[in-house]
Amino acid sequence: MSNDSKDDAVFKALANGLRRRMLDALKEKPQTTGMLCELFPNLDRCTVMQHLKVLEEADLVLARREGRERWNHLNALPIRAIHDRWISQYAGHASGGSSLSAG
């Protein structure tokens, strides 16, 4: 997968507020799928799994099976790569007073 495709998958995953809340929950500690379902009682298990699939495709969640349980772990490396590629490089321009010339 090209870097642009990887970035697109991460941006797509992060574009949804519910998925960001799932990542926040996983930042605290790994969670089973059942635990995530309990955190989001207004969603059925199938919907939680669909969101987890998008997060996995973006490599933001790593799943590990342990018996009948599926443990979901946050993988923050893709977020760090987005930060390094897009945010840090542009933050200096935003706070440093650099302006675009209109000429």
Side-chain angles (χ1 to χ4, degrees), residues 40-56:
F40 302 97
N42 57 327
L43 301 176
D44 61 37
R45 186 177 185 85
C46 183
T47 302
V48 169
M49 291 294 296
Q50 288 174 339
H51 284 291
L52 284 171
K53 182 178 181 200
V54 173
L55 292 169
E56 279 186 84

Side-chain angles (χ1 to χ4, degrees), residues 36-72:
L36 286 171
C37 289
E38 289 176 14
L39 288 175
F40 302 97
N42 57 327
L43 301 176
D44 61 37
R45 186 177 185 85
C46 183
T47 302
V48 169
M49 291 294 296
Q50 288 174 339
H51 284 291
L52 284 171
K53 182 178 181 200
V54 173
L55 292 169
E56 279 186 84
E57 288 172 351
D59 204 26
L60 291 167
V61 167
L62 303 173
R64 181 177 47 87
R65 286 215 168 268
E66 206 171 281
R68 291 183 51 142
E69 294 181 319
R70 179 181 189 265
W71 284 88
N72 301 287

